[in-house]
Amino acid sequence: MITIMETGDSYEFLTAADGLRNAGIPFTGDEHYTGEFRPSKIAQAPYVWTLLVPENRAEEARQVLDGEPISGPAAVHLMSHDTAAREYSTTEKVLLLAVSLILLSGIVLLLKK
C-alpha cells in the first residue's frame, strides 16, 4: 500500500474515500494525532488523515481523485442539488410561522425574568 493523499481536513479525506469506493478501488485510511490545533476558515482538529491504495492501483486512484471535487460535503450538496428556489406550501408556511412565534414567545419570557 502506498500513500496517495495526506490531509488535515476530515471532509476532504471522506470525500476522497467516497470517490475511491465508488470507483471500486480498494483503500485504507490512517489517522495520527499531531498535537497541534490548526485554525483556519474551518477549525481543524489536530489530526492528519492518510489515504493508502495498493501500489498497482495508485495511478488509477490519482486519476479518480483528480476528477473528484474535494471540497467537503457542504459544497458537494450544493453542487448536486437543484439551486432553484423552493416553493413552500401554505401548510408549511403556517407551521413555520407558528414555530417562529413559539420561539419568539419563549425568548420574550426569558428576557422578562
Side-chain angles (χ1 to χ4, degrees):
M1 301 290 272
I2 64 167
T3 300
I4 61 161
M5 186 178 116
E6 191 172 77
T7 180
D9 185 340
S10 61
Y11 293 131
E12 181 179 28
F13 173 81
L14 293 172
T15 303
D18 193 45
L20 293 176
R21 187 178 298 111
N22 290 338
I25 299 172
F27 66 91
T28 188
D30 186 31
E31 90 178 44
H32 62 272
Y33 181 71
T34 64
E36 67 181 56
F37 182 78
R38 298 175 310 279
S40 65
K41 290 182 182 177
I42 300 173
Q44 299 294 314
Y47 293 93
V48 172
W49 289 271
T50 305
L51 197 56
L52 301 105
V53 298
E55 190 170 356
N56 65 338
R57 304 283 304 266
E59 186 58 37
E60 181 185 1
R62 285 188 186 97
Q63 290 175 357
V64 168
L65 295 185
D66 286 345
E68 285 293 316
I70 309 294
S71 53
V76 171
H77 286 297
L78 287 174
M79 291 185 298
S80 64
H81 288 88
D82 186 7
T83 57
R86 180 170 183 250
E87 289 294 322
Y88 293 95
S89 69
T90 302
T91 304
E92 289 173 319
K93 290 176 185 177
V94 169
L95 285 173
L96 182 59
L97 180 61
V99 169
S100 299
L101 289 174
I102 291 168
L103 288 173
L104 184 59
S105 299
I107 291 170
V108 169
L109 288 175
L110 286 173
L111 291 176
K112 284 189 175 182
K113 288 186 178 185

